[in-house]
Amino acid sequence: MLSLSLTSRWVSLLYALILATTFAVSAPSSLDLTHEQLGIDLFSRQEKSDSGAGGKKYTLEELWAEVEKGSPVKYAAEQEVRKGPFTHEDIYVPKDPYSQPFLTPDYKSIKDTKVGHLKFPKGFKYGVASAAAQVEGAVKTDGRGPSIWDYVAHQYPSSIYDQSTPDIADNHYYLYEYDIARIKKMGVSTYSFSISWSRVLPLGRGEVNQKGLDFYDRFIDAIIDAGIEPVATLFHWDVPLALEYEYGSYRSERIVDDFVAYAEIAFKRWGHKVKSWVTHNEPGVFCPRYDSTLPLNATNPTQYDGHESRFRCTYHLLKAHGEAVSLYRSLKESGQVAKDGEIGIKLDNSYPLPYDSASPADVENAARAEAFNVGIWAEPIFGSGDWPKIIKEAVPSDLLISFTAKDKELIKGSADFFALDGYDIRITKSLPSPQYDSCKQNTSDPNWPICADGSKLAYSQSLKGGWTLGQQADPLAPWLYNSAGAIRWYGKKLKEMYPSKKYYLTEFGFAEPYESDKTEIHQIREDTARSQYMVDYLSEILLSIHEDNVPWAGIFAWSLLDNFEWYIGLRLRFGMQYVNFTDPSLPRTFKRSFIELRDFMNDHLEG
Ligand code: GAL
């Protein structure tokens, strides 16, 4: 597993779990299991099918019955929308920590020395971010269909660190008005959320769920009524289970039409209110998951597996993205969505720093890692319209689907901004010679395609000499550390490699070390590592704008709240608000990081 640790942050998450399970007594251990290990006969449920044709169709009831074979879905204690007006206590922001004497650390003086009175440009978005599967809950409510995450959390509970499910999560489905009032109080100008595809289309396609549309009507209106700008992502990893069962979702070309039909519903319904759209979240984390791991392998109805699935997903996802953008632009032309609307895709990861910059192999490996993590998406969209040269040379032609001239035309230029989920800057080290060369030629090598040396965690986190770039996050997020010092370097690279009129930092955030072990609210609230991360990142973004002329146009801090962090469940906390998951009313408390973020933005936003 460690050997794969550079391929994506999702893989690293899996690695986190394995690390954790190695050291924790009675911890779950089946996170990264293959079908065989899980004892699943892939094709017992439906026939093998080529590019998805012929998979069995399930009704909504049958799909939920499949999910609930594992355990019944749970419901929140509060199942009514918590309505305003909210009292002072409801949206209580703790006193400015600086009103207390002797407070350390003093971020105010740190940022003042670094960025002085520099301002973000006019219209800069001060945002927070969330995702439907991680916050909404109410998974079986008002006609919603299951997603693969509901399926996996119920069918394979030990694949989630604390065996939690998305069933209730933050109960944002009912508490959204309350949550919006709270972020309004913090001066947030923009809220980036995702729409649950299977809430709108319970079977992923076909019949629309009116109650799902009604929910997002109310939700989007509430955001706008609070004076906050909505930013909507159509797909944040929550594949409708029906489409996974029926044809293997993104493995099949059929996903393109289904995604575009879903996008059309969303654009036509909310396109006048939502002016910033994202088609997909971090495909570079999502598609490689088709290789061998849950949740995507658990229901695979096709004969595609391994690398074949991953590259099919990559191609189909880019096509689905391109078609959706082209539709959006034509709706814009005909006045069916806002004239000033914009659309793009969220990409993650970075151009890694070579572990040893004097080693030609490490330098080459860094370029290779960039190509597989970022370039494979960014080059078709922001560059030539084709796969990066490194990818074309590295991936055998039976795996990599070539773009037609029409595809290229569709995908090239299909983003109005570059959206980076830029949590940190990676480090990479090539496998030692001669394994490096043989790995590059051998798709069965467990380290293929990047062929980085993951045999020591340090190789992905420190430079030669043994120092990391900054503070490590919680051990359950071993991939993450504060690498703000390298952000400007990467900003310049981005501008040079993938020119765009605008760059958004659509996600950045930190998992405070050991936060879940803390029991006292005053300890939890004092999230100094996350606060430091926020202040450091924002300072570097300001400098990147002013000194390097990188046109950053907004930041979106991850996350609005502690939430369901995929394989790590509720255990790993990324929120700038603490959520007490043991109290059925799920009370929220602002942490210091949110106050530091607010103060930083107050000081540096234009007028
Ligand atoms: C991102 C992802 C989010 C969240 C975050 C923290 O990659 O888009 O959903 O999980 O990482 O790990």
Side-chain angles (χ1 to χ4, degrees), residues 9 134 236-237 281-282 423 479 507 558 565-566 574:
R9 214 139 41 68
Q134 296 179 273
H236 195 124
W237 302 346
N281 178 69
E282 298 186 9
Y423 283 81
W479 51 271
E507 281 184 34
W558 186 273
E565 175 59 22
W566 311 113
F574 270 91

Side-chain angles (χ1 to χ4, degrees), residues 86-300:
F86 296 105
T87 64
H88 176 68
E89 277 67 41
D90 284 328
I91 49 176
Y92 175 68
V93 181
K95 258 181 140 178
D96 181 340
Y98 295 98
S99 61
Q100 174 192 307
F102 314 125
L103 185 82
T104 45
D106 177 0
Y107 302 111
K108 280 209 154 83
S109 58
I110 299 170
K111 74 184 186 212
D112 286 349
T113 43
K114 261 194 135 175
V115 292
H117 299 293
L118 293 179
K119 297 280 184 203
F120 290 112
K122 229 178 162 25
F124 193 85
K125 296 186 200 301
Y126 157 27
V128 293
S130 76
Q134 296 179 273
V135 297
E136 279 183 5
V139 296
K140 205 182 161 188
T141 298
D142 292 340
R144 180 182 175 279
S147 88
I148 53 169
W149 287 95
D150 302 313
Y151 176 80
V152 163
H154 283 269
Q155 283 274 11
Y156 306 105
S158 55
S159 67
I160 311 288
Y161 183 79
D162 58 358
Q163 317 227 336
S164 56
T165 67
D167 293 0
I168 298 173
D170 291 310
N171 202 21
H172 196 51
Y173 189 77
Y174 292 115
L175 302 186
Y176 67 90
E177 288 200 11
Y178 173 61
D179 287 331
I180 292 164
R182 290 175 64 85
I183 57 174
K184 178 180 178 178
K185 189 82 192 287
M186 294 304 256
V188 165
S189 74
T190 322
Y191 177 27
S192 160
F193 56 89
S194 79
I195 296 172
S196 157
W197 185 341
S198 61
R199 204 181 280 293
V200 173
L201 290 154
L203 298 178
R205 63 201 180 87
E207 206 173 318
V208 178
N209 177 27
Q210 188 55 45
K211 288 191 172 165
L213 297 182
D214 295 345
F215 166 68
Y216 288 111
D217 285 350
R218 295 193 300 273
F219 176 72
I220 291 167
D221 285 348
I223 297 171
I224 294 171
D225 291 348
I228 296 172
E229 207 186 309
V231 174
T233 296
L234 290 167
F235 176 72
H236 195 124
W237 302 346
D238 44 356
V239 179
L241 184 61
L243 302 187
E244 192 55 38
Y245 264 146
E246 201 179 325
Y247 58 76
S249 68
Y250 281 84
R251 288 178 189 89
S252 165
E253 181 134 30
R254 288 176 61 184
I255 200 71
V256 178
D257 287 349
D258 287 345
F259 179 76
V260 175
Y262 158 54
E264 182 168 7
I265 295 167
F267 295 153
K268 287 191 170 157
R269 184 116 187 156
W270 303 298
H272 280 293
K273 295 176 175 173
V274 175
K275 296 187 181 170
S276 298
W277 290 89
V278 173
T279 62
H280 294 84
N281 178 69
E282 298 186 9
V285 178
F286 174 73
C287 285
R289 306 313 324 131
Y290 279 102
D291 267 13
S292 63
T293 40
L294 288 169
L296 291 160
N297 69 349
T299 50
N300 180 4

